[in-house]
Amino acid sequence: MTDPDPPVKDAPHVASVLKLAAAMQRTAAILSVVVAVVAIVVALVLRGTPGAVGAVVGGVIAIALGWLGTFVMAKTARATPAGVMIGAMTAFTGKIAFLLVFLLLFRGTTLFDNQAFAFTMLAVTAAWIAGEVIGFVRTRIPAVDL
């Protein structure tokens, strides 16, 4: 009988990438949901039901697209650092393509208020990015290993 192959040990960067992705996603999700709820309430007060619907759509899309980046980061953690970067850039390109298609399909729609949609998406995206930065900084993992 031969012994089974020993488990393959992860590269040194894998644990750091996984820890960073989890912290960034957690902090960004909390901050984004808070901003989205506030935006929905403000849109409902200022623009009525169509404003609230637009804010919900904008918030959901912004959170989903923000989550995609950290999800890809976690899933590509076992790749080389260059592979992680390629995954991140591919996710970014996918986000832009999705937004382009969505905006073209719903151009001039009366299903929801476009201004509430746009301002909510902008605010939630900014909150997601801020949450990622805060989560990254709080992990205290060096970005460059010397």
Side-chain angles (χ1 to χ4, degrees):
M1 290 250 155
T2 61
D3 290 331
D5 292 333
V8 178
K9 187 175 180 186
D10 284 334
H13 73 279
V14 173
S16 296
V17 171
L18 291 173
K19 185 176 179 182
L20 282 170
M24 291 166 63
Q25 194 171 60
R26 182 177 48 255
T27 308
I30 292 168
L31 189 57
S32 295
V33 168
V34 169
V35 170
V37 169
V38 170
I40 292 166
V41 171
V42 169
L44 179 62
V45 170
L46 295 179
R47 309 291 279 191
T49 303
V53 172
V56 168
V57 172
V60 167
I61 290 175
I63 289 171
L65 292 178
W67 174 82
L68 179 66
T70 51
F71 175 77
V72 169
M73 182 179 171
K75 290 300 176 186
T76 60
R78 287 184 171 77
T80 64
V84 175
M85 180 58 84
I86 290 169
M89 295 310 293
T90 302
F92 180 74
T93 303
K95 292 177 193 183
I96 298 299
F98 175 85
L99 280 177
L100 175 65
V101 170
F102 182 87
L103 292 174
L104 287 174
L105 288 175
F106 288 91
R107 178 180 43 196
T109 186
T110 57
L111 295 173
F112 53 80
D113 185 80
N114 289 327
Q115 286 183 335
F117 167 79
F119 285 119
T120 300
M121 181 169 262
L122 180 64
V124 173
T125 300
W128 186 275
I129 293 168
E132 284 185 334
V133 170
I134 292 166
F136 178 86
V137 170
R138 286 186 178 169
T139 58
R140 300 190 186 278
I141 294 175
V144 178
D145 191 23
L146 299 175

